[in-house]
Amino acid sequence: RLGGGADGDDLDVAAPTTTAVEPAPAAPAPAASAPAPPVRYKGSSPGNWSVVVPGEYRRMSTEKPRRIYEQRTDCEPNCRDLQAKRTEETPLVARFGSVDEREDVSVSVRGANTLKLTFLSMKDVTEFGAIDEATPLFVPPGANIIATTERTGESGKGYYQWDFEYGAARVLLTAAVEQGNCYLLGATAASERWDASEAGFRRASASFRVGADAVDRAASANKEREAPAGEVRLDDGSGDAKRKPPGTLDCKGPLPILCSVED
């Protein structure tokens, strides 16, 4: 109440009021991005095969670095071809890996008679003998074998699997034979990455199909608990299959059998 009005009366002045301002609602936390769905890759060279790999893996090169020969002034004309750049062939037909290249899934094909001398064309991995007998042919010396398993495909084809440690890596290797060729699926990760990569590796191994098992997956796809969202045929010359993976193959990995016939 204030005094001193013109007529001597006191003036009533309302006290100022304040309006409470409600704080703005907090912005919702960004939703965690869903993992990329797995993808089934199929190939038909030299024979039919297929495998499901984690969706976040990218295709990687299967070419070894070009070897450059030193120029020689005393070289005869017939040796000049050796001075040219060339790309060394490898048994790898497909390779997939994490962005940092510390996880790797590779499909490799080798003649079965390069692993075991035989005059007959092998048709099944069991012709190498029981899995324990075949182990020295597939697992490098010095490896610590954790487990071995066997399974039979829908066509009756046998598959051998080795889970082992080699150096600083953990490897899951699966082998099958078709028309004289040995198909190898190698899943490799640094030991400290095994826990994160194990589920994807085991799914890849369980999904690996060769020969008749890989021809038509439509009927059996419904039997899988989690069908792949995508499928890429690497031999059809279109889309992802047409794009050549960049770079060259680093053959210093822990599994030379998947890298080079010469190693």
Side-chain angles (χ1 to χ4, degrees), residues 49-224:
W49 60 267
S50 70
V51 64
V52 175
V53 302
E56 63 270 20
Y57 282 11
R58 60 189 177 93
R59 287 184 62 200
M60 301 174 70
S61 176
T62 58
E63 288 187 353
K64 293 178 67 174
R66 293 179 181 273
R67 178 181 297 173
I68 302 177
Y69 293 88
E70 295 180 359
Q71 296 290 335
R72 292 175 51 188
T73 57
D74 60 343
C75 183
E76 297 293 333
N78 61 0
C79 76
R80 289 176 182 173
D81 290 341
L82 297 178
Q83 296 178 351
K85 295 181 180 180
R86 68 183 179 90
T87 300
E88 297 184 70
E89 295 183 355
T90 76
L92 285 166
V93 295
R95 184 168 168 248
F96 316 92
S98 58
V99 174
D100 62 4
E101 299 186 6
R102 299 188 68 193
E103 301 172 17
D104 186 289
V105 175
S106 303
V107 179
S108 180
V109 181
R110 299 184 63 172
N113 58 3
T114 67
L115 299 172
K116 182 178 180 180
L117 182 61
T118 176
F119 296 103
L120 301 176
S121 177
M122 286 192 178
K123 298 181 180 179
D124 197 89
V125 71
T126 56
E127 294 180 47
F128 285 112
I131 191 167
D132 291 341
E133 298 176 65
T135 294
L137 301 175
F138 294 91
V139 178
N144 175 34
I145 299 177
I146 297 172
T148 60
T149 58
E150 306 173 36
R151 63 178 170 89
T152 303
E154 297 173 3
S155 68
K157 182 176 296 297
Y159 296 81
Y160 285 171
Q161 181 195 90
W162 294 268
D163 179 358
F164 60 91
E165 294 174 330
Y166 187 70
R170 181 81 174 263
V171 181
L172 196 62
L173 178 64
T174 309
V177 172
E178 173 71 11
Q179 295 181 348
N181 287 316
C182 187
Y183 290 74
L184 302 168
L185 178 74
T188 308
S191 296
E192 65 271 17
R193 294 282 287 270
W194 176 254
D195 289 343
S197 59
E198 180 180 7
F201 282 2
R202 294 202 181 280
R203 175 176 178 145
S205 178
S207 72
F208 189 43
R209 303 287 189 273
V210 172
D213 290 340
V215 173
D216 185 5
R217 296 286 299 148
S220 58
N222 294 330
K223 299 179 183 179
E224 296 183 1

